[in-house]
Amino acid sequence: MTSWGRAYSLSIMASKRPTWIPVVTAMIRKGDHVLVGKRPEGHTLAGQWEFPGGKIEIGESPEEALARELQEELGIEAEVGEIQLACTHSYPEVGILLVFFEVRFWKGEPKPVHHTELKWILPEELAKIEIPEANRRLLPKIMELLS
Ligand code: DGT
């Protein structure tokens, strides 16, 4: 059972309500391009291209969580900007509240510490690569924001 599966079972026992997990992600912008990373094997949605980020841990603000994730995943020290977009998405076992922040300034060069591969793409290329369903539903808004 996945960690989310366990969390879900516990929540069912505790409250009979689904667990909702906050996830923070970064739209890292360089000129006209945005950075996406390929999710590694052994993780949910392996092989799909995502905006770097992850789950908020206990005691962290959303901005602190995103700065930590970008340090861990890409090895950069990022200045987390404004929230651009938020959405909810239900997976079979769990729901996520996905919050997208803008990142325009950082120190260091992003490296694929966590992802199989990183790439800088133009917003319109998002329509041609495999991305999480949660992001695909928002694609028109994401492309509008990035254009
Ligand atoms: P997991 O999901 O249990 O395999 O654990 P992690 O550590 O791979 O997941 P993490 O911390 O990246 O959590 C983010 C969750 O949100 C993950 O299940 C995938 C989902 N998600 C949907 N769209 C995005 C996105 O654009 N970026 C990120 N980072 N996650 C996304």
Side-chain angles (χ1 to χ4, degrees):
M1 191 188 279
T2 64
S3 56
W4 280 10
R6 272 192 300 279
Y8 181 71
S9 307
L10 287 173
S11 80
I12 288 283
M13 284 187 278
S15 67
K16 297 195 180 350
R17 299 188 67 200
T19 298
W20 281 83
I21 294 178
V23 174
V24 285
T25 69
M27 291 172 159
I28 304 179
R29 312 287 305 276
K30 187 162 74 174
D32 294 339
H33 291 77
V34 64
L35 187 68
V36 290
K38 197 174 201 181
R39 287 181 64 85
E41 293 305 319
H43 289 255
T44 50
L45 313 180
Q48 298 194 17
W49 292 91
E50 67 169 12
F51 295 106
K55 297 169 193 136
I56 300 176
E57 291 181 358
I58 291 170
E60 288 179 329
S61 70
E63 290 84 356
E64 286 167 350
L66 186 53
R68 173 188 50 74
E69 288 281 356
L70 299 182
Q71 181 64 253
E72 289 173 4
E73 292 190 349
L74 308 174
I76 61 170
E77 194 181 318
E79 192 179 305
V80 176
E82 297 292 316
I83 292 177
Q84 301 294 300
L85 200 59
C87 70
T88 59
H89 186 77
S90 296
Y91 289 106
E93 290 186 339
V94 80
I96 58 169
L97 169 65
L98 193 53
V99 183
F100 298 77
F101 286 85
E102 181 172 59
V103 172
R104 282 193 178 270
F105 306 104
W106 61 90
K107 283 187 199 152
E109 189 55 34
K111 291 177 289 294
V113 180
H114 164 77
H115 297 95
T116 312
E117 195 184 335
L118 297 177
K119 61 180 175 181
W120 293 98
I121 61 169
L122 292 168
E124 52 266 32
E125 290 176 65
L126 282 166
K128 299 179 203 143
I129 59 177
E130 206 188 336
I131 60 176
E133 177 60 23
N135 305 35
R136 185 157 299 284
R137 285 174 42 223
L138 283 183
L139 207 48
K141 277 189 192 166
I142 293 176
M143 284 166 64
E144 192 183 326
L145 275 169
L146 293 174
S147 299

